[in-house]
Amino acid sequence: MGEYGSVLPEFEREEDLIAAAKHIARALGSKKNLTDDAKKILADLGSQLSNITIINEDKVERVSEIEERLNVVQEKIMSWESDQSVIWDSGPNEAAEYLNAADEARKLTEKLEALSLNKDDGEKELLRRAHDTLQIAMARLEEEFKHMLVQNRQPFEPEHVSFRSSEEDTADFSSVISLGDDSVEESMHRDSISRNSEDYIIDLVHPEVISELRCIANLMFISSYDHECSQAYINVRRDALDECLFILEMEKFSIEDVLKLEWGSLNSKIKRWVRAMKIFVRVYLASEKWLAEQILGEIGTVNLVCFTEASKASILQLLNFGEAVSIGPHKPEKLFPILDMYEVLADLLPDIDSLYSNEAGFCVRTDCREVLRQLGDSVKAAFHEFENAIATNVSPNPFAGGGIHHLTRYVMNYLNTLTDYRETLHFLLKDRDGEHRISLSPDNSPPGEEENASRNTYNASSMSLHFRSVASILECNLEDKAKLYRDPSLQQVFMMNNIHYMAQKVKNSELRHIFGDDWTRKHNWKFQQHAMNYERSTWSSVLSLLRDEGNSNSDSVSKTHLKERFRNFYLAFEEVYRTQTAWLIPDAQLREDLQISTSLKVIQAYRTFVGRNSNHISDKHIKYSADDLQNFLLDLFQGSQRSLHNPHRR
């Protein structure tokens, strides 16, 4: 340093450095050989160094003030550390004071960080104290935040939905043989879902504390304790969502657990899922998202993230159940419950998209669509199994009485119930096979239609195509079952009964819009053909005994022959009576029509025969009058076997 070396004292602090700089400036300024510019520079330097001194002195004063305020704030914050009670339970004033103290701790910390302290031991300690005080305040606010969220939770009471705790049965195809008509129709009655229930928001947390919760959240976020606040909110609301599912009776099942459930238990849980899903999404999740907006909505998009993270596990739990059901065995009895699941999920898809519109909700939106697709595939597979089950349904013995087979009742009621899902099935089955045209076979066409074969087509929707296909499969199965009867007449009665039932079921239900009028006309003609075939099969041989065989020259031979013909006719009639009173035509109108048609033919032939031969045979050989026979014919097809012992048995 030459001649100036003696003016530089030793220094360790910023103040020492400034003092040394001033000392050098004064020493240089006293030299006479300095230029005017050098003197000016040294003068400016001296002025700036004086200003630095002033600023430094001001900073010292500010640090001193901050330390004083920090002492007050720290005392307030620490006064609650040993107190186990809840601050917000101590009244609004105490809560406001604590919140203000925490906010001031934040501000003091920020001021200290902005002062660019020298980081000496005293200042380091002051900054550490400020950080510690803020951390303690934030930790306490986090606990208060969680406590208020939990203690002010509003009870969720879905009073608008009734949940059946008992297991509800659905018709099981494997036991279809034991089902009667009423039991089939009742068991297939669709469990209605209100698709137009009013959406509304409920208060999940008491409204009075919302503003307090919002203040705490805002303070924690601006104090850079956003993660702690978010995680506290997510954890508390996640527990609340779990409790909601518990109230809705939705248990946590793994896919393996669901696949192990017996059908009765699974069916009950599916029904509960269908009811719970709409309530959970449209009421609870909508309210949950609104709550997050009320508390966290002033802090960017954090409310959407927190809502998604809090609710994701619960909604995915519900979707996982849907996935498990969709991958299980595709039995026909599962079709209705799975359709309910598909429809409610498809109906809720816009709601779910709206609830989880942010990037964090992408996985929920994706999973929802995937489960919907899987349920749709399951519907198609179950319908296909329904067709297979009809085709492979085998009866070892003929159906007693030739009445309406349980399979016929089951299938037609099954199809009729499916009309409730018309739009869904049309969409899903179209995806399976596309649009088709169905041609009526000329062999099965009503007379007079063969020449119009080119017009004998039906532009069918996918649902119509598959329903007609099911009906055709059923008819083929019925034809096989009819062959189990040894009596050809009973075969015709059986087919007449079942085809008539199918036609009437279509005509008198929503199925008529799906099958079409041409199908109904064709099947009306079919059962009438079976009725005519019955008459021909049963009565042709009987009435042949009453045909005019020409005049005989021998009166004695003629009388003997007449007696034999009368006797044979009565024996044949009595055998028909004995046999066919046990046969059954359940439909009263069909039974009456066939009785009248038969009576017209039999009674007319009998009266003609008796009238033509009344002069050749005595009355004692005429066992029954025409009125007797007409009354006897009314006993046919009642399902209770009778025998004729004498003409006056009535």
Side-chain angles (χ1 to χ4, degrees), residues 140-202:
R140 183 56 182 254
L141 287 178
E142 180 183 345
E143 292 303 315
E144 296 280 330
F145 186 70
K146 290 191 291 186
H147 178 81
M148 291 173 68
L149 278 173
V150 172
Q151 293 302 314
N152 291 279
R153 184 187 302 171
Q154 296 279 74
F156 175 57
E157 300 174 355
E159 297 176 353
H160 53 291
V161 177
S162 60
F163 293 92
R164 303 177 191 175
S165 57
S166 60
E167 294 184 357
E168 299 162 87
D169 295 328
T170 294
D172 188 339
F173 208 103
S174 63
S175 61
V176 68
I177 301 303
S178 64
L179 293 175
D181 194 34
D182 292 340
S183 61
V184 173
E185 296 201 39
E186 289 175 6
S187 63
M188 286 186 177
H189 180 68
R190 186 181 179 190
D191 187 30
S192 62
I193 308 168
S194 174
R195 286 188 172 80
N196 300 315
S197 61
E198 184 179 358
D199 302 338
Y200 61 92
I201 302 296
I202 60 176

Side-chain angles (χ1 to χ4, degrees), residues 284-520:
Y284 201 91
L285 286 185
S287 301
E288 189 68 43
K289 188 173 184 180
W290 180 83
L291 176 66
E293 182 179 347
Q294 293 299 301
I295 297 175
L296 305 170
E298 296 178 356
I299 318 168
T301 60
V302 68
N303 60 306
L304 299 177
V305 175
C306 287
F307 161 74
T308 300
E309 291 302 316
S311 62
K312 186 162 57 176
S314 296
I315 189 65
L316 292 181
Q317 176 187 332
L318 292 171
L319 293 176
N320 286 342
F321 179 82
E323 179 185 6
V325 172
S326 71
I327 65 177
H330 301 126
K331 296 180 180 178
E333 64 267 22
K334 288 179 65 176
L335 183 55
F336 297 106
I338 294 176
L339 273 167
D340 284 336
M341 295 181 76
Y342 180 91
E343 287 196 347
V344 77
L345 188 55
D347 191 36
L348 291 173
L349 192 59
D351 300 85
I352 292 173
D353 284 345
S354 177
L355 288 167
Y356 297 96
S357 57
N358 60 319
E359 184 179 352
F362 176 77
C363 67
V364 176
R365 301 196 305 272
T366 302
D367 282 5
C368 184
R369 281 168 168 75
E370 177 60 20
V371 171
L372 187 65
R373 184 195 65 78
Q374 291 175 331
L375 287 171
D377 290 343
S378 185
V379 166
K380 290 180 279 187
F383 191 90
H384 182 63
E385 284 302 310
F386 172 56
E387 293 174 319
N388 289 340
I390 300 168
T392 58
N393 183 271
V394 178
S395 299
N397 300 308
F399 189 68
I404 302 168
H405 199 279
H406 296 316
L407 180 65
T408 306
R409 296 183 188 275
Y410 180 87
V411 170
M412 297 309 296
N413 284 310
Y414 193 103
L415 292 178
N416 187 34
T417 306
L418 284 176
T419 60
D420 289 344
Y421 307 89
R422 185 182 311 172
E423 293 182 6
T424 298
L425 282 174
H426 175 68
F427 172 76
L428 292 175
L429 296 178
K430 178 175 66 176
D431 181 53
R432 173 179 165 190
D433 288 325
E435 300 293 338
H436 294 265
R437 296 173 67 85
I438 303 174
S439 296
L440 294 175
S441 169
D443 294 339
N444 293 326
S445 300
E449 290 192 5
E450 287 85 347
E451 64 274 15
N452 298 320
S454 62
R455 293 184 296 154
N456 241 357
T457 56
Y458 178 69
N459 286 324
S461 70
S462 298
M463 185 175 176
S464 177
L465 165 67
H466 286 89
F467 276 35
R468 283 180 164 220
S469 174
V470 168
S472 296
I473 294 170
L474 174 60
E475 286 183 56
C476 291
N477 189 292
L478 291 172
E479 289 172 0
D480 290 338
K481 293 184 186 325
K483 294 174 184 177
L484 297 173
Y485 298 106
R486 294 181 179 180
D487 191 326
S489 297
L490 186 52
Q491 293 179 3
Q492 299 300 324
V493 169
F494 175 77
M495 291 302 298
M496 176 194 68
N497 274 327
N498 285 272
I499 299 298
H500 176 266
Y501 180 86
M502 293 171 67
Q504 290 299 108
K505 200 69 180 180
V506 169
K507 178 183 176 182
N508 299 323
S509 70
E510 290 299 309
L511 288 171
R512 66 184 181 277
H513 302 302
I514 297 171
F515 278 85
D517 292 338
D518 64 316
W519 187 95
T520 304

Side-chain angles (χ1 to χ4, degrees), residues 54-339:
I54 294 171
I55 292 172
N56 191 51
E57 292 172 352
D58 181 59
K59 184 177 72 171
V60 171
E61 291 177 2
R62 291 173 63 189
V63 169
S64 178
E65 291 175 1
I66 290 173
E67 185 173 8
E68 289 180 9
R69 288 303 308 155
L70 182 60
N71 291 336
V72 175
V73 168
Q74 187 176 20
E75 183 179 356
K76 180 65 178 178
I77 299 299
M78 297 306 296
S79 68
W80 279 96
E81 277 307 283
S82 59
D83 195 332
Q84 299 300 316
S85 59
V86 179
I87 298 174
W88 263 257
D89 288 348
S90 301
N93 292 335
E94 186 63 35
E97 288 180 10
Y98 191 90
L99 205 60
N100 289 335
D103 189 32
E104 189 167 2
R106 173 188 66 82
K107 293 176 181 177
L108 293 174
T109 303
E110 291 177 354
K111 287 179 179 179
L112 287 171
E113 290 176 341
L115 285 176
S116 300
L117 302 177
N118 293 324
K119 302 297 186 295
D120 64 9
D121 292 340
E123 291 177 350
K124 287 181 181 178
E125 176 62 23
L126 184 62
L127 185 59
R128 185 190 63 77
R129 280 178 54 208
H131 277 296
D132 289 348
T133 301
L134 180 61
Q135 183 176 3
I136 292 170
M138 292 298 111
R140 183 56 182 254
L141 287 178
E142 180 183 345
E143 292 303 315
E144 296 280 330
F145 186 70
K146 290 191 291 186
H147 178 81
M148 291 173 68
L149 278 173
V150 172
Q151 293 302 314
N152 291 279
R153 184 187 302 171
Q154 296 279 74
F156 175 57
E157 300 174 355
E159 297 176 353
H160 53 291
V161 177
S162 60
F163 293 92
R164 303 177 191 175
S165 57
S166 60
E167 294 184 357
E168 299 162 87
D169 295 328
T170 294
D172 188 339
F173 208 103
S174 63
S175 61
V176 68
I177 301 303
S178 64
L179 293 175
D181 194 34
D182 292 340
S183 61
V184 173
E185 296 201 39
E186 289 175 6
S187 63
M188 286 186 177
H189 180 68
R190 186 181 179 190
D191 187 30
S192 62
I193 308 168
S194 174
R195 286 188 172 80
N196 300 315
S197 61
E198 184 179 358
D199 302 338
Y200 61 92
I201 302 296
I202 60 176
D203 291 319
L204 300 178
V205 172
H206 201 288
E208 291 184 0
V209 301
I210 294 296
S211 61
E212 302 291 339
L213 289 167
R214 187 189 306 120
C215 289
I216 295 175
N218 289 346
L219 179 54
M220 291 187 71
F221 267 80
I222 62 176
S223 301
S224 299
Y225 282 79
D226 48 326
H227 175 75
E228 289 79 359
C229 181
S230 297
Q231 202 58 49
Y233 182 88
I234 290 168
N235 291 340
V236 171
R237 295 314 304 167
R238 184 184 291 144
D239 291 342
L241 284 156
D242 287 342
E243 183 178 323
C244 173
L245 290 183
F246 177 79
I247 293 171
L248 294 175
E249 300 182 27
M250 292 308 303
E251 305 168 60
K252 287 186 177 180
F253 284 110
S254 66
I255 291 178
E256 292 75 15
D257 292 335
V258 174
L259 295 177
K260 291 177 183 177
L261 290 174
E262 295 293 332
W263 167 240
S265 178
L266 177 60
N267 186 35
S268 177
K269 289 177 180 10
I270 289 174
K271 290 177 181 292
R272 196 175 297 139
W273 183 93
V274 168
R275 294 188 186 97
M277 191 69 180
K278 178 169 283 190
I279 300 303
F280 188 74
V281 172
R282 288 204 169 152
V283 178
Y284 201 91
L285 286 185
S287 301
E288 189 68 43
K289 188 173 184 180
W290 180 83
L291 176 66
E293 182 179 347
Q294 293 299 301
I295 297 175
L296 305 170
E298 296 178 356
I299 318 168
T301 60
V302 68
N303 60 306
L304 299 177
V305 175
C306 287
F307 161 74
T308 300
E309 291 302 316
S311 62
K312 186 162 57 176
S314 296
I315 189 65
L316 292 181
Q317 176 187 332
L318 292 171
L319 293 176
N320 286 342
F321 179 82
E323 179 185 6
V325 172
S326 71
I327 65 177
H330 301 126
K331 296 180 180 178
E333 64 267 22
K334 288 179 65 176
L335 183 55
F336 297 106
I338 294 176
L339 273 167

